[in-house]
Amino acid sequence: MLPPVSLKNFGHYNMRLQWPQDDAFITCLPRRIFNNTQRSMKQFFLSCPKGLESLLEEECRKFLGESLTGLRASDGGIKVDTDIKNFLPYLLSTRLASRGYMQLGQWPINRLQDLYDLSRNFEFESWMDWRQTFKITTLFDLKAKYVLNNSLLASQIFKDGLVDRFRDVTGNRPTVDVKHSQISFLLRIEESRNTSKIAPFMLTFYVDMTGIPLSNRGYRAPGHEAPLRENIAAAMVMWANFGEQAEILVDPFVGTGTILIESAMILAKVPPSFLKLRDWTKGRRPYDMLEHLWFQNNSALNSQLSDWANTQVTMGEKSLLKIPSGILWGSDLDPNAILLAKKNLARLGLDRTVRLSEGNALTMMPPGPPPGVVVTNPPYGERMGTPEESAELFFNLSEHLKNNYKGYRAYLLAGDPKMHKGIHLKTSCKKPVRNGDIECRVLGYNLF
Ligand SMILES: C[S@@+](CC[C@H](N)C(=O)[O-])C[C@H]1O[C@@H](n2cnc3c(N)ncnc32)[C@H](O)[C@@H]1O
């Protein structure tokens, strides 16, 4: 049993705090102890666009199975308790999460000033080197926002404690870099759920494991005004159950090809991190955690993950090549979009496998007989076109699909409900999803 953390300067609490789980405690120990311990159970938080939580929970259960010791859906993500060596491959395999965080600590707090003592007493020196740049982001829940008000100030107070800690222990102070930090910390401050209410708020302190969002797969070239977030595209393909049987998938508003690329990776069972893993095997360092002391100093974990990455890249390259042509189809009115989609597909060697053409979705006929599924993201009046134009487009599209795509299924991403009110088809699925600032729905139809 490890001793509790002593918070000598913990102002008005004047008490010794226990970490939420004994196992989580090892994360704040000097590297000597971290390496020697066999215990590596940790708590993680995976964030995702709102609406994807239950699909993410399902994906996580499927991947981690018995190695999970806890799993709770929360607003905009899931909390996962498991062993770090099992979690890392999942972190790099999730198609739905936006970011992955490892929990470093959890404390009750009364006011923002408490953050200084907490951070000054935290052993940051076993997590990062003072030469590494860092940033701190704070997220409040509604109650914390109302009472504590200033999340920037929260980050600043915590940063002051961190910097003073380093100055005391090493004689040097690390530098903040908001744009390109090597280490990103996250503070989540929420209303305390503890019934004994030692303090009104609970602070949970995390490190961002990858730095770049997990939804950034590395295949997207810039130049399109409304590309779909990769994890929302993957969710649509998963809700459509694509890959369960041999069938065609069509995206007639293909844009940059996101839906087709995510479908190809699902079909080939290639992790969405494929391109980043390939970068890593070529000597680049695509994820922050590769620079984190906890990872660098755990040689067993390091070589285990790099073996896993090598296998995924070798197998992935082969299985992407095996996707038959004639399965994945895309078209768009805009020739520039087609060029972008081609370029993105080529990053994964898919430019010959996926069939692209220029054309109007409202006249495009199915590329083959059913079974097949249309998964698509027509312009819905926020970033492209007006709401009226979109409503008309959705109506015309639904009529075209109803008349010409018999035996297919269709999954459409739609914005404002007014847009799809005129569709005379019965939905087989209706999933609310938050796409950035926009409340959307994924609507599923069986076309008889
Ligand atoms: C919201 S974007 C799709 C974004 C795409 N999912 C991606 O991730 O890049 C809509 C696309 O539909 C295309 N478009 C608009 N009206 C169309 C029509 N009638 N037929 C075919 N494409 C159309 C636009 O050129 C644009 O590329």
Side-chain angles (χ1 to χ4, degrees), residues 220 224 226-228 251-259 331-334 337 359-362 377-379 384 393:
R220 181 173 282 168
H224 193 279
L228 180 59
D251 180 357
F253 297 87
V254 75
T256 58
T258 317
I259 291 172
S331 55
D332 202 288
L333 264 187
D334 177 5
N360 189 340
L362 303 180
N377 161 211
M384 298 190 100
L393 181 74

Side-chain angles (χ1 to χ4, degrees), residues 238-397:
M238 286 159 101
W239 277 320
N241 280 323
F242 176 68
E244 308 264 302
Q245 57 170 327
E247 65 176 338
I248 286 169
L249 185 141
V250 195
D251 180 357
F253 297 87
V254 75
T256 58
T258 317
I259 291 172
L260 294 179
I261 297 175
E262 294 298 318
S263 305
M265 291 199 285
I266 288 172
L267 196 63
K269 299 193 170 40
V270 167
S273 56
F274 174 77
L275 290 174
K276 304 274 177 199
L277 296 177
R278 196 166 70 184
D279 283 351
W280 185 25
T281 58
K282 289 183 178 157
R284 274 171 285 222
R285 316 280 294 168
Y287 296 121
D288 277 12
M289 68 182 173
L290 304 179
E291 310 302 335
H292 291 177
L293 293 186
W294 62 267
F295 185 76
Q296 293 197 337
N297 294 319
N298 191 333
S299 48
L301 193 62
N302 209 306
S303 66
Q304 214 171 350
L305 193 66
S306 112
D307 288 350
W308 178 84
N310 274 305
T311 313
Q312 296 306 313
V313 171
T314 320
M315 282 173 36
E317 267 161 1
K318 285 189 195 140
S319 48
L320 283 168
L321 280 178
K322 280 191 198 148
I323 299 178
S325 70
I327 296 241
L328 299 168
W329 299 78
S331 55
D332 202 288
L333 264 187
D334 177 5
N336 187 44
I338 297 290
L339 285 178
L340 281 173
K342 239 186 205 133
K343 197 166 168 185
N344 292 340
L345 285 159
R347 295 272 291 127
L348 288 127
L350 292 168
D351 43 332
R352 282 162 187 265
T353 310
V354 175
R355 307 280 187 86
L356 294 177
S357 59
E358 215 180 298
N360 189 340
L362 303 180
T363 51
M364 190 63 69
M365 296 306 278
V373 59
V374 178
V375 183
T376 198
N377 161 211
Y380 49 69
E382 291 284 343
R383 287 182 286 175
M384 298 190 100
T386 65
E388 293 71 31
E389 282 165 356
S390 296
E392 193 183 335
L393 181 74
F394 268 82
F395 173 74
N396 291 335
L397 176 67

Side-chain angles (χ1 to χ4, degrees), residues 227-239:
L228 180 59
R229 239 180 236 193
E230 297 85 335
N231 46 355
I232 297 184
M236 290 178 72
V237 177
M238 286 159 101
W239 277 320

